[in-house]
Coordinates of all heavy atoms in Angstrom, one line a residue:
A872 N -23.1 198.2 -116.6 CA -24.0 197.4 -115.6 C -24.3 198.2 -114.3 O -23.4 199.0 -113.9 CB -23.4 196.1 -115.2
Q873 N -25.5 198.1 -113.9 CA -25.8 198.8 -112.7 C -26.8 197.9 -111.8 O -27.6 197.1 -112.3 CB -26.5 200.1 -112.9 CG -27.9 200.1 -113.4 CD -28.1 200.5 -114.8 OE1 -27.2 200.4 -115.6 NE2 -29.3 201.1 -115.2
T874 N -26.7 198.2 -110.5 CA -27.7 197.4 -109.6 C -28.1 198.4 -108.5 O -27.5 199.4 -108.2 CB -27.0 196.3 -108.9 OG1 -25.9 196.7 -108.1 CG2 -26.5 195.1 -109.8
V875 N -29.3 198.2 -108.1 CA -29.8 198.7 -106.7 C -30.3 197.6 -105.9 O -30.8 196.7 -106.3 CB -30.9 199.8 -107.0 CG1 -30.4 201.0 -107.7 CG2 -32.1 199.2 -107.6
T876 N -30.0 197.9 -104.5 CA -30.4 196.9 -103.6 C -31.2 197.5 -102.5 O -30.8 198.5 -101.9 CB -29.1 196.2 -103.0 OG1 -28.3 195.6 -104.0 CG2 -29.6 195.0 -102.0
Q877 N -32.3 196.9 -102.2 CA -33.2 197.4 -101.1 C -33.4 196.1 -100.2 O -34.1 195.2 -100.5 CB -34.5 197.9 -101.5 CG -34.4 199.1 -102.4 CD -35.8 199.6 -102.9 OE1 -36.1 199.4 -104.0 NE2 -36.6 200.1 -102.0
A878 N -32.8 196.2 -99.0 CA -32.7 195.0 -98.2 C -33.9 194.9 -97.1 O -34.2 193.8 -96.7 CB -31.4 194.9 -97.4
Q879 N -34.6 196.1 -96.9 CA -35.6 196.0 -95.9 C -36.9 195.5 -96.5 O -37.4 196.1 -97.5 CB -36.0 197.6 -95.4 CG -34.8 198.2 -94.7 CD -35.0 199.7 -94.7 OE1 -35.1 200.3 -95.7 NE2 -34.9 200.2 -93.5
P880 N -37.5 194.4 -96.0 CA -38.7 193.9 -96.6 C -39.9 194.7 -96.3 O -40.8 195.0 -97.2 CB -38.8 192.5 -96.0 CG -38.1 192.6 -94.8 CD -37.0 193.6 -94.9
E881 N -40.1 195.2 -95.2 CA -41.3 195.9 -94.7 C -41.1 196.6 -93.4 O -40.2 196.2 -92.7 CB -42.4 194.8 -94.5 CG -43.8 195.3 -94.3 CD -44.8 194.2 -94.0 OE1 -44.7 193.2 -94.8 OE2 -45.6 194.3 -93.1
M882 N -41.7 197.8 -93.2 CA -41.5 198.5 -91.9 C -42.8 199.1 -91.5 O -43.6 199.5 -92.4 CB -40.3 199.4 -92.1 CG -40.6 200.6 -92.9 SD -39.0 201.5 -93.3 CE -38.6 202.0 -91.6
S883 N -42.9 199.2 -90.2 CA -44.1 199.9 -89.7 C -43.6 201.1 -88.9 O -42.6 201.1 -88.2 CB -45.0 199.0 -88.9 OG -44.3 198.6 -87.7
V884 N -44.4 202.2 -89.1 CA -44.0 203.5 -88.5 C -45.2 204.2 -87.9 O -46.3 204.1 -88.5 CB -43.4 204.5 -89.7 CG1 -43.0 205.8 -89.2 CG2 -42.3 203.8 -90.4
Q885 N -45.0 204.8 -86.8 CA -46.1 205.6 -86.2 C -46.3 206.9 -87.0 O -45.3 207.4 -87.4 CB -45.8 205.9 -84.8 CG -45.6 204.7 -83.9 CD -46.9 204.0 -83.5 OE1 -47.9 204.6 -83.3 NE2 -46.8 202.7 -83.4
E886 N -47.5 207.3 -87.0 CA -47.8 208.7 -87.6 C -47.0 209.7 -86.9 O -46.7 209.6 -85.7 CB -49.3 209.0 -87.4 CG -50.2 208.4 -88.6 CD -51.6 209.0 -88.5 OE1 -52.4 208.4 -87.7 OE2 -51.9 209.9 -89.2
A887 N -46.5 210.6 -87.7 CA -45.7 211.7 -87.3 C -44.2 211.4 -87.1 O -43.3 212.3 -86.9 CB -46.2 212.4 -86.0
E888 N -43.9 210.1 -87.0 CA -42.5 209.7 -86.9 C -41.8 209.8 -88.3 O -42.4 210.0 -89.3 CB -42.4 208.3 -86.4 CG -42.7 208.2 -84.9 CD -42.4 206.8 -84.3 OE1 -42.2 205.9 -85.1 OE2 -42.5 206.8 -83.1
T889 N -40.5 209.6 -88.2 CA -39.6 209.7 -89.4 C -39.3 208.3 -89.8 O -39.0 207.4 -88.9 CB -38.3 210.4 -89.1 OG1 -38.7 211.8 -88.9 CG2 -37.4 210.4 -90.3
A890 N -39.4 207.9 -91.0 CA -39.0 206.6 -91.5 C -37.8 206.8 -92.5 O -37.7 207.7 -93.2 CB -40.2 206.1 -92.4
T891 N -36.8 205.9 -92.4 CA -35.7 205.9 -93.3 C -35.7 204.6 -94.0 O -35.7 203.5 -93.5 CB -34.5 206.0 -92.5 OG1 -34.5 207.3 -91.8 CG2 -33.2 206.1 -93.4
L892 N -35.7 204.7 -95.4 CA -35.6 203.5 -96.3 C -34.3 203.4 -97.0 O -33.8 204.4 -97.6 CB -36.8 203.7 -97.3 CG -38.2 203.3 -96.9 CD1 -38.7 204.3 -95.8 CD2 -39.1 203.3 -98.1
D893 N -33.6 202.3 -96.8 CA -32.3 202.2 -97.3 C -32.3 201.7 -98.7 O -33.0 200.9 -99.2 CB -31.5 201.2 -96.5 CG -31.4 201.6 -95.0 OD1 -31.3 202.9 -94.8 OD2 -31.4 200.8 -94.1
C894 N -31.2 202.2 -99.5 CA -30.9 201.7 -100.8 C -29.5 201.8 -101.0 O -28.8 202.8 -100.7 CB -31.7 202.5 -101.9 SG -31.2 202.2 -103.5
T895 N -28.9 200.8 -101.6 CA -27.5 200.8 -102.0 C -27.5 200.5 -103.4 O -28.3 200.0 -104.0 CB -26.6 199.8 -101.2 OG1 -27.1 198.5 -101.4 CG2 -26.5 200.1 -99.7
F896 N -26.4 201.0 -104.1 CA -26.4 200.9 -105.6 C -25.0 200.7 -106.0 O -24.0 200.9 -105.3 CB -27.0 202.3 -106.3 CG -26.2 203.5 -105.9 CD1 -25.1 203.9 -106.7 CD2 -26.4 204.3 -104.8 CE1 -24.4 205.0 -106.5 CE2 -25.7 205.4 -104.5 CZ -24.7 205.8 -105.4
D897 N -24.8 200.3 -107.2 CA -23.6 200.1 -107.8 C -23.7 200.4 -109.3 O -24.6 200.1 -110.0 CB -23.1 198.6 -107.6 CG -21.6 198.5 -107.8 OD1 -20.9 199.5 -107.8 OD2 -21.1 197.4 -108.0
T898 N -22.6 201.2 -109.8 CA -22.6 201.5 -111.1 C -21.1 201.8 -111.5 O -20.4 202.3 -110.7 CB -23.5 202.7 -111.6 OG1 -23.2 203.0 -112.9 CG2 -23.2 203.9 -110.6
S899 N -20.7 201.5 -112.7 CA -19.4 201.9 -113.2 C -19.3 203.2 -113.8 O -18.3 203.8 -114.1 CB -18.8 200.7 -114.1 OG -19.8 200.5 -115.1
D900 N -20.6 203.7 -114.1 CA -20.6 205.0 -114.7 C -20.5 206.2 -113.7 O -20.9 206.0 -112.5 CB -22.0 205.2 -115.4 CG -22.0 206.2 -116.5 OD1 -21.2 207.2 -116.4 OD2 -22.7 206.0 -117.5
S901 N -19.8 207.3 -113.9 CA -19.7 208.4 -113.0 C -20.8 209.3 -113.1 O -21.1 210.1 -112.2 CB -18.4 209.1 -113.2 OG -18.3 209.7 -114.5
N902 N -21.6 209.3 -114.1 CA -22.7 210.1 -114.4 C -24.0 209.4 -114.4 O -24.2 208.6 -115.3 CB -22.5 211.0 -115.7 CG -23.4 212.1 -115.9 OD1 -24.1 212.5 -114.9 ND2 -23.4 212.7 -117.0
Y903 N -24.8 209.7 -113.4 CA -26.1 208.9 -113.3 C -27.1 209.6 -112.5 O -26.8 210.6 -111.9 CB -25.8 207.5 -112.6 CG -25.1 207.6 -111.3 CD1 -25.8 207.8 -110.1 CD2 -23.7 207.6 -111.3 CE1 -25.1 207.9 -108.9 CE2 -23.0 207.7 -110.1 CZ -23.7 207.8 -108.9 OH -23.0 208.0 -107.7
Y904 N -28.3 209.1 -112.6 CA -29.5 209.7 -111.7 C -30.0 208.7 -110.9 O -30.1 207.4 -111.2 CB -30.6 210.2 -112.7 CG -30.2 211.3 -113.6 CD1 -29.8 211.0 -114.9 CD2 -30.2 212.6 -113.2 CE1 -29.4 211.9 -115.8 CE2 -29.8 213.6 -114.1 CZ -29.4 213.2 -115.4 OH -29.0 214.2 -116.2
L905 N -30.3 209.0 -109.7 CA -31.0 208.1 -108.7 C -32.4 208.6 -108.5 O -32.6 209.8 -108.4 CB -30.2 208.0 -107.4 CG -28.8 207.3 -107.5 CD1 -28.0 207.8 -106.3 CD2 -29.1 205.8 -107.4
F906 N -33.3 207.6 -108.2 CA -34.7 208.0 -108.1 C -35.3 207.2 -106.9 O -34.9 206.1 -106.7 CB -35.5 207.6 -109.3 CG -34.9 208.2 -110.6 CD1 -33.9 207.5 -111.3 CD2 -35.5 209.4 -111.1 CE1 -33.5 208.0 -112.5 CE2 -34.9 209.9 -112.3 CZ -34.0 209.1 -113.0
W907 N -36.3 207.8 -106.3 CA -37.2 207.0 -105.4 C -38.6 207.2 -105.9 O -39.0 208.3 -106.2 CB -37.2 207.5 -104.0 CG -36.1 207.0 -103.1 CD1 -34.9 207.5 -102.7 CD2 -36.1 205.6 -102.5 NE1 -34.2 206.7 -102.0 CE2 -34.9 205.5 -101.8 CE3 -37.0 204.6 -102.4 CZ2 -34.6 204.4 -101.0 CZ3 -36.7 203.4 -101.7 CH2 -35.5 203.4 -101.1
Y908 N -39.2 206.0 -106.2 CA -40.6 206.0 -106.6 C -41.5 205.4 -105.5 O -41.0 204.6 -104.7 CB -40.8 205.1 -107.8 CG -40.3 205.6 -109.1 CD1 -38.9 205.5 -109.5 CD2 -41.0 206.4 -109.9 CE1 -38.4 205.9 -110.7 CE2 -40.6 206.9 -111.2 CZ -39.3 206.7 -111.5 OH -38.8 207.2 -112.7
K909 N -42.7 205.8 -105.5 CA -43.7 205.4 -104.5 C -44.8 204.6 -105.3 O -45.3 205.2 -106.3 CB -44.2 206.6 -103.7 CG -45.4 206.3 -102.9 CD -45.9 207.6 -102.2 CE -47.1 207.3 -101.4 NZ -47.6 208.5 -100.6
Q910 N -45.2 203.5 -104.8 CA -46.4 202.8 -105.5 C -47.4 202.6 -104.4 O -47.3 201.6 -103.6 CB -45.9 201.5 -106.1 CG -47.1 200.8 -106.9 CD -46.7 199.5 -107.5 OE1 -45.9 198.8 -107.0 NE2 -47.3 199.3 -108.7
P911 N -48.4 203.4 -104.3 CA -49.5 203.3 -103.3 C -50.3 202.0 -103.8 O -50.3 201.6 -104.8 CB -50.3 204.6 -103.4 CG -49.9 205.2 -104.7 CD -48.6 204.6 -105.1
P912 N -51.3 201.6 -102.8 CA -52.1 200.4 -103.1 C -52.9 200.6 -104.4 O -53.2 199.6 -105.0 CB -53.0 200.4 -101.9 CG -52.2 201.0 -100.8 CD -51.4 202.1 -101.5
S913 N -53.1 201.8 -104.9 CA -53.9 202.0 -106.1 C -53.1 201.7 -107.4 O -53.6 201.5 -108.4 CB -54.3 203.5 -106.2 OG -53.2 204.4 -105.9
G914 N -51.7 201.4 -107.2 CA -50.9 200.9 -108.2 C -50.0 201.8 -109.1 O -49.1 201.2 -109.6
E915 N -50.3 203.0 -109.2 CA -49.5 203.8 -110.1 C -48.1 204.1 -109.5 O -48.0 204.1 -108.3 CB -50.2 205.2 -110.4 CG -50.2 206.1 -109.3 CD -51.4 206.0 -108.4 OE1 -51.9 205.0 -108.3 OE2 -51.7 207.0 -107.6
M916 N -47.1 204.3 -110.3 CA -45.7 204.6 -109.8 C -45.7 206.1 -109.8 O -45.9 206.8 -110.8 CB -44.8 204.1 -110.8 CG -44.5 202.6 -110.6 SD -43.4 202.4 -109.1 CE -43.0 200.6 -109.4
V917 N -45.3 206.6 -108.6 CA -45.2 208.1 -108.5 C -43.7 208.4 -108.1 O -43.1 207.9 -107.2 CB -46.1 208.6 -107.3 CG1 -46.0 210.2 -107.2 CG2 -47.5 208.1 -107.5
L918 N -43.0 209.3 -109.0 CA -41.7 209.7 -108.7 C -41.8 210.7 -107.6 O -42.5 211.7 -107.7 CB -41.2 210.4 -110.0 CG -39.7 211.1 -109.8 CD1 -38.7 210.0 -109.4 CD2 -39.4 211.8 -111.1
I919 N -41.0 210.5 -106.5 CA -41.1 211.4 -105.4 C -39.8 212.2 -105.3 O -39.8 213.3 -104.9 CB -41.4 210.7 -104.1 CG1 -40.5 209.5 -103.9 CG2 -42.9 210.4 -104.0 CD1 -40.9 208.8 -102.5
I920 N -38.6 211.6 -105.8 CA -37.4 212.4 -105.7 C -36.4 211.9 -106.6 O -36.3 210.7 -107.0 CB -36.9 212.3 -104.2 CG1 -36.2 213.6 -103.7 CG2 -36.0 211.1 -104.0 CD1 -36.2 213.8 -102.3
R921 N -35.6 212.8 -107.1 CA -34.5 212.6 -108.1 C -33.3 213.2 -107.7 O -33.2 214.4 -107.3 CB -35.0 213.1 -109.4 CG -34.1 212.8 -110.6 CD -34.7 213.5 -111.9 NE -33.8 214.6 -112.2 CZ -33.3 214.9 -113.4 NH1 -33.6 214.1 -114.4 NH2 -32.5 216.0 -113.5
Q922 N -32.1 212.4 -107.8 CA -30.8 213.0 -107.3 C -29.9 212.9 -108.5 O -29.7 211.8 -109.1 CB -30.3 212.2 -106.2 CG -29.0 212.6 -105.7 CD -28.9 213.8 -104.9 OE1 -29.7 214.0 -103.9 NE2 -28.0 214.8 -105.2
E923 N -29.2 213.9 -108.9 CA -28.2 213.8 -109.9 C -26.8 213.5 -109.2 O -26.5 214.1 -108.1 CB -28.0 215.2 -110.6 CG -29.3 215.6 -111.5 CD -29.2 216.9 -112.0 OE1 -28.1 217.4 -112.3 OE2 -30.3 217.6 -112.1
A924 N -26.1 212.7 -109.8 CA -24.8 212.2 -109.2 C -23.8 213.4 -108.9 O -23.1 213.3 -107.9 CB -24.1 211.2 -110.1
F925 N -23.9 214.4 -109.7 CA -22.9 215.5 -109.5 C -23.4 216.6 -108.6 O -22.7 217.6 -108.4 CB -22.5 216.1 -110.9 CG -21.5 215.2 -111.6 CD1 -21.9 214.5 -112.8 CD2 -20.3 214.9 -111.1 CE1 -21.1 213.7 -113.4 CE2 -19.4 213.9 -111.7 CZ -19.9 213.4 -112.9
K926 N -24.7 216.6 -108.2 CA -25.3 217.5 -107.3 C -24.6 217.5 -105.9 O -24.4 216.4 -105.4 CB -26.8 217.3 -107.1 CG -27.6 218.2 -108.0 CD -27.9 219.6 -107.3 CE -28.4 220.6 -108.2 NZ -29.8 220.4 -108.7
Q927 N -24.2 218.6 -105.4 CA -23.5 218.7 -104.1 C -24.4 218.7 -102.9 O -24.0 218.8 -101.8 CB -22.6 219.9 -104.1 CG -21.6 220.0 -105.2 CD -20.6 218.8 -105.0 OE1 -20.3 218.4 -103.9 NE2 -20.0 218.4 -106.2
E928 N -25.7 218.7 -103.2 CA -26.7 218.7 -102.1 C -27.7 217.5 -102.2 O -27.9 217.1 -103.3 CB -27.6 220.0 -102.2 CG -26.8 221.3 -101.8 CD -27.7 222.5 -102.3 OE1 -28.8 222.4 -102.6 OE2 -27.1 223.6 -102.2
N929 N -28.2 217.1 -101.1 CA -29.2 216.1 -101.1 C -30.5 216.7 -101.6 O -31.0 217.7 -101.1 CB -29.4 215.6 -99.6 CG -28.2 214.8 -99.2 OD1 -27.9 213.7 -99.8 ND2 -27.6 215.1 -98.0
A930 N -31.1 215.9 -102.5 CA -32.5 216.4 -103.0 C -33.5 216.3 -101.9 O -33.4 215.3 -101.1 CB -32.8 215.5 -104.2
T931 N -34.5 217.2 -102.0 CA -35.6 217.2 -101.1 C -36.9 217.4 -101.9 O -36.8 218.1 -103.0 CB -35.5 218.2 -100.0 OG1 -35.5 219.5 -100.6 CG2 -34.2 218.1 -99.2
N932 N -38.0 217.0 -101.3 CA -39.3 217.2 -101.9 C -40.2 217.2 -100.7 O -40.6 216.1 -100.3 CB -39.6 216.2 -103.0 CG -41.0 216.4 -103.5 OD1 -41.7 217.3 -103.3 ND2 -41.5 215.3 -104.2
N933 N -40.6 218.4 -100.2 CA -41.5 218.4 -99.1 C -41.1 217.6 -97.9 O -40.0 217.8 -97.4 CB -43.0 218.0 -99.5 CG -43.5 219.1 -100.5 OD1 -43.5 220.3 -100.3 ND2 -44.1 218.6 -101.6
R934 N -41.9 216.5 -97.5 CA -41.5 215.8 -96.4 C -40.5 214.7 -96.7 O -40.1 213.9 -95.8 CB -42.8 215.1 -95.8 CG -43.7 216.1 -95.2 CD -44.9 215.4 -94.6 NE -45.7 214.6 -95.6 CZ -45.8 213.4 -95.5 NH1 -45.1 212.6 -94.7 NH2 -46.5 212.7 -96.5
F935 N -40.1 214.5 -98.0 CA -39.1 213.6 -98.5 C -37.8 214.2 -98.6 O -37.7 215.2 -99.3 CB -39.6 213.0 -99.8 CG -41.0 212.2 -99.7 CD1 -42.1 213.0 -100.2 CD2 -41.1 211.0 -99.2 CE1 -43.3 212.4 -100.2 CE2 -42.3 210.4 -99.2 CZ -43.4 211.0 -99.7
S936 N -36.8 213.5 -98.2 CA -35.4 213.9 -98.5 C -34.5 212.6 -98.6 O -34.9 211.6 -98.2 CB -34.9 214.8 -97.4 OG -34.9 214.2 -96.1
V937 N -33.3 212.8 -99.2 CA -32.4 211.7 -99.3 C -31.2 212.0 -98.7 O -30.7 213.1 -98.4 CB -32.2 211.3 -100.8 CG1 -33.5 210.8 -101.5 CG2 -31.6 212.5 -101.6
N938 N -30.4 210.9 -98.3 CA -29.1 210.9 -97.9 C -28.2 210.2 -98.9 O -28.2 209.0 -99.0 CB -28.9 210.3 -96.5 CG -27.5 210.4 -96.0 OD1 -26.5 210.7 -96.8 ND2 -27.3 210.2 -94.7
F939 N -27.7 211.0 -99.8 CA -26.9 210.5 -100.9 C -25.4 210.4 -100.6 O -24.8 211.5 -100.3 CB -27.1 211.3 -102.2 CG -26.3 211.0 -103.4 CD1 -26.0 209.7 -103.7 CD2 -25.7 212.0 -104.2 CE1 -25.2 209.4 -104.8 CE2 -24.9 211.7 -105.3 CZ -24.7 210.3 -105.6
Q940 N -24.9 209.3 -100.5 CA -23.5 209.0 -100.2 C -22.8 208.5 -101.4 O -22.9 207.3 -101.8 CB -23.3 208.1 -99.0 CG -24.0 208.5 -97.7 CD -23.2 209.6 -97.0 OE1 -22.0 209.9 -97.3 NE2 -23.9 210.3 -96.1
K941 N -22.2 209.4 -102.2 CA -21.7 209.0 -103.5 C -20.6 208.0 -103.4 O -20.6 206.9 -104.0 CB -21.2 210.3 -104.2 CG -20.9 210.0 -105.7 CD -20.6 211.3 -106.4 CE -20.5 211.1 -107.9 NZ -20.1 212.3 -108.5
A942 N -19.6 208.2 -102.5 CA -18.5 207.3 -102.3 C -19.0 206.0 -101.7 O -18.6 204.9 -102.1 CB -17.4 208.0 -101.5
G943 N -19.9 206.1 -100.7 CA -20.4 204.9 -100.1 C -21.5 204.2 -100.8 O -22.0 203.1 -100.4
K944 N -21.9 204.8 -101.9 CA -23.0 204.2 -102.8 C -24.2 203.8 -102.1 O -24.7 202.7 -102.2 CB -22.3 202.9 -103.6 CG -21.2 203.4 -104.5 CD -20.7 202.3 -105.4 CE -19.8 202.9 -106.4 NZ -19.1 201.8 -107.2
S945 N -24.7 204.7 -101.3 CA -26.0 204.6 -100.7 C -26.9 205.8 -100.9 O -26.4 206.9 -101.1 CB -25.8 204.3 -99.2 OG -25.5 205.4 -98.5
F946 N -28.2 205.5 -100.9 CA -29.2 206.5 -101.3 C -30.4 206.3 -100.5 O -31.4 205.7 -101.0 CB -29.4 206.4 -102.8 CG -30.3 207.5 -103.4 CD1 -30.0 208.8 -103.3 CD2 -31.5 207.1 -104.0 CE1 -30.9 209.7 -103.9 CE2 -32.3 208.0 -104.6 CZ -32.1 209.3 -104.5
S947 N -30.5 206.7 -99.3 CA -31.6 206.4 -98.5 C -32.6 207.5 -98.5 O -32.3 208.6 -98.8 CB -31.2 206.1 -96.9 OG -30.5 207.2 -96.5
L948 N -33.8 207.0 -98.4 CA -35.0 208.0 -98.4 C -35.4 208.3 -96.9 O -35.6 207.3 -96.2 CB -36.1 207.4 -99.2 CG -37.4 208.2 -99.2 CD1 -37.2 209.5 -100.0 CD2 -38.6 207.3 -99.9
R949 N -35.7 209.5 -96.6 CA -36.2 209.8 -95.3 C -37.5 210.5 -95.5 O -37.7 211.4 -96.3 CB -35.2 210.9 -94.7 CG -35.4 211.1 -93.3 CD -34.3 212.2 -92.9 NE -34.8 213.2 -92.0 CZ -34.6 213.1 -90.7 NH1 -33.8 212.1 -90.2 NH2 -35.2 214.0 -89.9
I950 N -38.5 209.9 -94.8 CA -39.8 210.4 -94.8 C -40.1 211.0 -93.4 O -40.2 210.2 -92.5 CB -40.9 209.4 -95.1 CG1 -40.5 208.6 -96.4 CG2 -42.3 209.9 -95.3 CD1 -41.4 207.4 -96.7
S951 N -40.3 212.3 -93.4 CA -40.5 212.9 -92.0 C -42.1 213.1 -91.9 O -42.8 213.2 -92.8 CB -39.8 214.2 -91.9 OG -40.2 215.1 -92.9
D952 N -42.5 213.2 -90.6 CA -43.8 213.5 -90.3 C -44.7 212.5 -91.0 O -45.7 212.9 -91.7 CB -44.2 214.9 -90.7 CG -45.6 215.3 -90.2 OD1 -46.1 214.7 -89.2 OD2 -46.2 216.3 -90.8
S953 N -44.5 211.2 -90.8 CA -45.2 210.1 -91.5 C -46.8 210.3 -91.4 O -47.3 210.7 -90.3 CB -44.8 208.8 -91.1 OG -43.5 208.5 -91.4
R954 N -47.4 210.0 -92.5 CA -48.9 210.1 -92.6 C -49.4 208.7 -93.1 O -48.6 208.1 -93.8 CB -49.3 211.2 -93.5 CG -48.9 212.5 -93.0 CD -49.2 213.6 -94.0 NE -48.6 214.8 -93.6 CZ -48.6 215.9 -94.4 NH1 -49.2 215.9 -95.6 NH2 -48.0 217.0 -94.0
L955 N -50.7 208.5 -93.0 CA -51.3 207.3 -93.4 C -51.1 207.1 -94.9 O -50.9 206.0 -95.3 CB -52.8 207.4 -93.1 CG -53.5 206.1 -92.8 CD1 -52.8 205.2 -91.8 CD2 -54.9 206.3 -92.4
E956 N -51.1 208.2 -95.7 CA -51.0 208.1 -97.1 C -49.6 207.7 -97.5 O -49.4 207.4 -98.7 CB -51.4 209.4 -97.7 CG -50.3 210.5 -97.5 CD -50.9 211.9 -97.2 OE1 -51.8 212.1 -96.5 OE2 -50.2 212.9 -97.8
D957 N -48.7 207.6 -96.6 CA -47.3 207.1 -97.0 C -47.2 205.6 -97.1 O -46.2 205.1 -97.6 CB -46.3 207.6 -96.0 CG -46.1 209.1 -95.9 OD1 -46.5 209.8 -96.9 OD2 -45.8 209.7 -94.9
A958 N -48.3 204.9 -96.6 CA -48.2 203.5 -96.7 C -48.2 203.1 -98.2 O -49.2 203.3 -98.9 CB -49.5 202.9 -96.0
A959 N -47.1 202.4 -98.6 CA -46.9 202.1 -100.0 C -45.6 201.3 -100.2 O -44.9 201.1 -99.3 CB -46.7 203.5 -100.8
M960 N -45.5 200.8 -101.4 CA -44.2 200.2 -101.8 C -43.3 201.3 -102.3 O -43.7 202.2 -103.0 CB -44.4 199.2 -102.9 CG -45.3 198.0 -102.6 SD -44.4 196.7 -101.8 CE -43.5 196.1 -103.3
Y961 N -42.0 201.3 -101.9 CA -41.1 202.3 -102.3 C -40.0 201.6 -103.1 O -39.4 200.7 -102.6 CB -40.5 203.1 -101.1 CG -41.5 204.0 -100.5 CD1 -42.4 203.5 -99.6 CD2 -41.6 205.3 -100.9 CE1 -43.4 204.3 -99.0 CE2 -42.6 206.2 -100.3 CZ -43.4 205.6 -99.4 OH -44.4 206.5 -98.9
F962 N -39.6 202.2 -104.3 CA -38.6 201.6 -105.2 C -37.5 202.6 -105.4 O -37.8 203.8 -105.8 CB -39.3 201.2 -106.5 CG -40.2 200.2 -106.4 CD1 -41.6 200.4 -106.2 CD2 -39.9 198.8 -106.5 CE1 -42.6 199.5 -106.1 CE2 -40.8 197.8 -106.3 CZ -42.2 198.1 -106.2
C963 N -36.3 202.2 -105.2 CA -35.1 202.9 -105.6 C -34.7 202.5 -107.0 O -34.8 201.3 -107.4 CB -34.0 202.5 -104.5 SG -32.4 203.1 -104.8
A964 N -34.2 203.5 -107.8 CA -33.9 203.2 -109.1 C -32.7 204.0 -109.5 O -32.4 205.1 -109.0 CB -35.0 203.5 -110.1
L965 N -31.9 203.5 -110.5 CA -30.7 204.2 -111.0 C -30.7 204.2 -112.5 O -31.1 203.2 -113.1 CB -29.4 203.5 -110.5 CG -28.0 204.1 -110.9 CD1 -27.1 203.8 -109.8 CD2 -27.6 203.7 -112.2
R966 N -30.4 205.3 -113.1 CA -30.3 205.4 -114.5 C -29.0 206.0 -114.9 O -28.7 207.1 -114.4 CB -31.4 206.2 -115.1 CG -31.3 206.3 -116.7 CD -32.6 206.9 -117.3 NE -32.9 208.2 -116.9 CZ -32.3 209.3 -117.5 NH1 -31.4 209.1 -118.5 NH2 -32.7 210.5 -117.2
E967 N -28.2 205.3 -115.7 CA -26.9 205.9 -116.2 C -27.3 207.0 -117.2 O -28.3 206.9 -118.0 CB -26.1 204.8 -116.7 CG -25.6 203.9 -115.6 CD -24.8 202.7 -116.1 OE1 -24.8 202.4 -117.3 OE2 -24.3 202.0 -115.2
A968 N -26.4 208.0 -117.2 CA -26.8 209.2 -117.9 C -26.6 209.2 -119.4 O -27.3 209.8 -120.2 CB -26.1 210.4 -117.4
Q969 N -25.6 208.4 -119.9 CA -25.4 208.4 -121.4 C -26.3 207.5 -122.2 O -26.9 206.6 -121.7 CB -24.0 208.0 -121.6 CG -23.7 206.4 -121.6 CD -22.6 206.0 -120.8 OE1 -21.9 206.9 -120.2 NE2 -22.4 204.8 -120.6
Ligands
NAG2035 C1 -26.4 214.3 -97.7 O1 -26.4 214.5 -96.3 C2 -25.6 213.7 -95.6 C3 -25.8 213.8 -94.0 O2 -25.8 215.2 -93.7 C4 -24.1 214.0 -95.8 O3 -23.2 213.1 -95.2 C5 -23.9 213.8 -97.4 O4 -22.7 214.2 -97.8 C6 -25.0 214.6 -98.2 N1 -24.9 214.3 -99.6 C7 -24.7 215.3 -100.5 C8 -24.7 214.8 -102.0 O5 -24.8 216.4 -100.3

């Protein structure tokens, strides 16, 4: 069994500022992947970042980075230098590896 929880309903950010989106997760598996997806108003789901549970570094992708706390079971997304095109729904996801 696994869960992800995103408690922030909505946030507004000024252009060029940094936004942090929180996600907590729970899984009984030790081997898993975490993801952040972006869904812009046009509707498609875009994978923006993927973190492997055993990676010793936080994943990054251009202006996107994560703060993965394995023991604390949190996986927040950080969007730096915010732009208008970042306006979207963001979804945190977990997949167990086996
Ligand atoms: C991610 O970065 C945070 C803050 O620097 C750090 O506490 C955490 O251990 C890092 N996680 C990984 C998997 O390196």
Side-chain angles (χ1 to χ4, degrees):
Q873 75 247 29
T874 60
V875 294
T876 305
Q877 293 177 256
Q879 292 161 310
E881 188 180 314
M882 66 193 299
S883 63
V884 180
Q885 300 284 324
E886 275 189 278
E888 284 187 350
T889 296
T891 303
L892 282 65
D893 298 328
C894 171
T895 57
F896 62 92
D897 199 14
T898 175
S899 50
D900 204 328
S901 61
N902 193 8
Y903 53 87
Y904 299 94
L905 287 159
F906 309 86
W907 273 102
Y908 286 90
K909 171 184 177 176
Q910 186 178 37
S913 49
E915 76 274 18
M916 280 284 192
V917 182
L918 174 62
I919 49 177
I920 214 154
R921 185 182 104 131
Q922 177 78 49
E923 294 172 31
F925 288 113
K926 261 276 164 70
Q927 299 296 328
E928 290 167 8
N929 286 304
T931 63
N932 174 14
N933 296 312
R934 295 181 300 110
F935 300 100
S936 61
V937 296
N938 181 343
F939 172 41
Q940 300 287 339
K941 193 173 189 178
K944 295 188 172 172
S945 75
F946 183 60
S947 59
L948 175 68
R949 191 180 143 97
I950 307 172
S951 61
D952 186 24
S953 291
R954 299 175 188 171
L955 208 51
E956 73 217 40
D957 297 332
M960 297 271 286
Y961 289 85
F962 296 91
C963 174
L965 182 150
R966 180 166 67 80
E967 291 174 349
Q969 81 231 354

